[in-house]
């Protein structure tokens, strides 16, 4: 029997990316679903797929902009009105925003991001957790990020919201430790979804290495089911980033992240640079080939005697270098001796001069 049969999972942000992959895992395990996002047409299509592929009994679609005032209360009220008991809550819906905080980013978008990533997540947790504790049963998964534990220039507000999610979730994990309700923070590294494009960060270096949302969702799902307080998907590499984030100075981390969040070099400039260096190499190579051909032609036109002579010369060029060095030293020594001898001839010695004076 599937572990989720008869139970219901409510997933925000189920219309794409990690949320959609999580919804699939719940459907495969026999859960009924409440899917929440703004794109209700996508959610409706997903509902059909889950029903036909996995035999999902009940899928409820709630179209809601979770960045709106009281969005969480409205979703909760709709679920209650339908008589649905939520056994698992997944707070996945979230957005990012790229740019320098002071000059680039738009405050209205930032305010909506804080509302969605922080306020709605907190209020949904409060509302559903209260009911879970009353039943002493339930699970919550909150989408944090590896950026929760690293300062992140150029996505400062987003990283701030995720730091909140992580800290909030770890605090609740402790508050809930003597109950049958668990809460888990999922901390993915950069993941291959529409997230970066929507945030205006699709050309950043961090997107060079993105992980599979299927793997992220699977690791998150397993940690949630095991009741773990947190999970960093992606094996040893991402866990080592986590350790680095705990031990490295914040300033150093901020510099590292600034570099990772910076834009990739302009492909047009790169192509131009590549073209210039290829051209330089091409010209150099061309000259070398022409010189080689010229020498070859000239050599072929030589008489047998001259060819032998040049072969002998080429062979002796190696020895000649060493000989040249030695002969330079000899020449300097000889020159000194010669100059000295000439000076002796030109400048009469004191006794010679005296003798000549005597004769006079
Ligand atoms: N991708 C990454 O690199 C990465 C890394 C770490 C953590 N995360 C976190 O993972 C979560 C899922 O992101 P993703 O990567 O899967 O991105 P995604 O593919 O863009 O999915 C975002 C989901 O959030 C929903 N959403 C956005 N704004 C909403 C709003 N105002 N009201 C209701 N729903 C809204 C979207 O649905 P609609 O547009 O249909 O409303 C969509 O279903 C986010 O919390 C994100 O911060 C992502």
């Amino acid at each position: 029997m599937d572990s989720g049969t008869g139970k219901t999972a409510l997933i925000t942000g189920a219309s794409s990316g990690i949320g959609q992959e999580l919804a699939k895992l719940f459907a495969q395990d026999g859960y009924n679903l409440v899917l929440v996002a703004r794109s209700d047409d996508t959610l409706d299509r997903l509902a059909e797929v889950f029903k036909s592929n996995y035999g999902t009994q009940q899928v409820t679609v709630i179209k809601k902009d979770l960045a709106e005032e009281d969005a969480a209360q409205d979703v909760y009220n709709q679920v209650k009105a339908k008589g649905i008991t939520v056994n698992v809550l997944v707070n996945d819906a979230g957005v990012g925003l790229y740019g320098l905080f002071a000059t680039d980013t738009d405050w209205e978008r930032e305010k909506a991001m804080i509302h969605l990533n922080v306020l709605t997540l907190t209020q949904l947790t409060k509302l559903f957790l209260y009911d879970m504790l009353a039943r002493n049963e339930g699970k919550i998964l909150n989408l944090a990020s590896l950026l929760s534990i690293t300062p992140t220039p150029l996505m400062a507000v987003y990283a701030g919201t995720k730091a909140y999610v992580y800290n909030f979730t770890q605090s609740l994990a402790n508050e809930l430790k003597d109950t049958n309700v668990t809460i888990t923070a999922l901390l993915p590294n950069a993941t291959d979804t529409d997230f970066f494009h929507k945030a205006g960060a699709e050309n950043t270096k961090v997107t060079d290495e993105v992980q599979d949302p299927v793997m992220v969702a699977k690791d998150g799902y397993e940690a949630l089911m095991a009741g773990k307080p947190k999970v960093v998907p992606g094996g040893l590499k991402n866990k080592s980033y986590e350790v680095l984030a705990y031990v490295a100075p914040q300033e150093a981390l901020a510099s590292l992240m600034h570099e990772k969040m910076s834009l990739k070099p302009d492909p047009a400039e790169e192509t131009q640079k590549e073209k210039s260096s290829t051209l330089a190499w091409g010209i150099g190579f061309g000259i070398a080939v022409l010189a080689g051909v010229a020498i070859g032609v000239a050599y072929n036109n030589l008489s047998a005697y001259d060819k032998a002579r040049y072969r002998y010369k080429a062979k002796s060029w190696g020895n000649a270098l060493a000989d040249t060095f030695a002969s330079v030293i000899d020449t300097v020594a000889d020159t000194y001796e010669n100059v000295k001898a000439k000076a002796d001839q030109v400048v009469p010695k004191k006794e010679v001069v005296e003798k000549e004076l005597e004769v006079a």
Side-chain angles (χ1 to χ4, degrees):
M1 193 176 85
D2 291 331
S3 56
T5 303
K7 292 182 182 170
T8 299
L10 184 153
I11 302 145
T12 69
S15 61
S16 79
I18 300 167
Q20 190 176 111
E21 294 305 328
L22 281 163
K24 208 180 287 174
L25 293 171
F26 282 106
Q28 283 169 359
D29 260 357
Y31 280 82
N32 292 322
L33 300 168
V34 179
L35 307 178
V36 187
R38 292 166 301 183
S39 321
D40 55 340
D41 45 347
T42 309
L43 296 180
D44 285 337
R45 275 201 302 277
L46 274 178
E48 289 313 312
V49 171
F50 293 158
K51 281 176 188 167
S52 62
N53 286 8
Y54 312 118
T56 309
Q57 297 289 306
Q58 201 185 330
V59 184
T60 306
V61 167
I62 298 179
K63 178 188 179 171
K64 189 74 196 168
D65 182 344
L66 294 171
E68 281 174 356
E69 195 67 29
D70 293 328
Q73 186 69 57
D74 185 47
V75 168
Y76 178 78
N77 292 347
Q78 288 194 46
V79 168
K80 283 299 227 189
K82 291 180 194 311
I84 298 169
T85 298
V86 170
N87 306 96
V88 182
L89 168 67
V90 178
N91 283 306
D92 168 87
V95 290
L97 187 61
Y98 182 77
L100 285 171
F101 175 70
T103 51
D104 292 354
T105 51
D106 173 52
W107 170 242
E108 289 306 318
R109 284 187 70 184
E110 259 152 358
K111 199 163 74 170
M113 174 168 59
I114 295 169
H115 202 114
L116 173 68
N117 295 8
V118 174
L119 286 181
T120 297
L121 174 143
T122 307
Q123 198 179 3
L124 281 173
T125 303
K126 193 166 191 78
L127 293 167
F128 286 105
L129 179 58
Y130 189 85
D131 292 347
M132 288 176 183
L133 278 175
R135 300 191 310 268
N136 197 23
E137 168 276 331
K139 294 184 182 304
I140 300 174
L141 180 67
N142 284 341
L143 255 293
S145 164
L146 261 191
L147 301 188
S148 298
I149 51 173
T150 51
T152 309
L154 297 166
M155 282 190 97
V157 177
Y158 172 73
T161 66
K162 292 296 167 180
Y164 170 86
V165 172
Y166 179 55
N167 194 303
F168 170 65
T169 306
Q170 296 315 288
S171 302
L172 291 193
N174 176 273
E175 287 185 16
L176 297 171
K177 70 179 170 30
D178 295 326
T179 74
N180 265 338
V181 180
T182 60
I183 189 161
T184 305
L186 174 55
L187 288 78
N189 200 345
T191 306
D192 191 9
T193 67
D194 211 21
F195 173 83
F196 287 100
H197 173 245
K198 288 174 187 160
E202 66 270 46
N203 292 325
T204 52
K205 291 178 187 168
V206 77
T207 61
D208 277 342
E209 222 181 300
V210 281
Q211 52 193 3
D212 184 0
V214 175
M215 177 278 290
V216 171
K218 187 170 168 288
D219 282 9
Y221 188 82
E222 284 170 1
L224 170 75
M225 290 304 155
K228 292 183 180 166
K230 64 160 185 173
V231 59
V232 176
L236 207 59
K237 190 172 163 201
N238 287 338
K239 290 202 175 57
S240 64
Y241 284 146
E242 186 194 5
V243 173
L244 179 75
Y246 293 139
V247 297
Q250 293 289 293
E251 256 181 272
L253 283 175
S255 300
L256 181 83
M257 289 312 295
H258 199 140
E259 170 58 21
K260 274 192 162 261
M261 294 310 301
S262 61
L263 296 175
K264 293 176 202 174
D266 182 355
E269 264 176 36
E270 284 294 287
T271 317
Q272 191 51 43
K273 264 191 213 162
E274 257 173 42
K275 271 187 190 160
S276 309
S277 95
T278 311
L279 187 68
W281 276 104
I283 290 171
F285 184 70
I287 288 171
V289 168
L290 284 176
V293 169
I295 288 169
V297 169
Y299 181 79
N300 275 336
N301 288 336
L302 291 175
S303 66
Y305 169 76
D306 281 340
K307 278 182 184 168
R309 211 158 55 87
Y310 281 112
R311 270 205 303 274
Y312 173 76
K313 269 197 173 174
K315 224 177 168 186
S316 57
W317 275 343
N319 299 335
L321 268 178
D323 292 349
T324 306
F325 186 67
S327 76
V328 165
I329 292 173
D330 289 349
T331 309
V332 170
D334 287 352
T335 310
Y336 170 75
E337 288 303 323
N338 286 342
V339 169
K340 192 168 164 273
K342 289 243 167 71
D344 284 351
Q345 281 172 11
V346 173
V347 182
K349 285 198 173 144
K350 194 178 159 229
E351 53 274 29
V352 175
V353 174
E354 278 170 356
K355 234 181 215 171
E356 280 175 358
L357 281 174
E358 266 170 32
V359 174

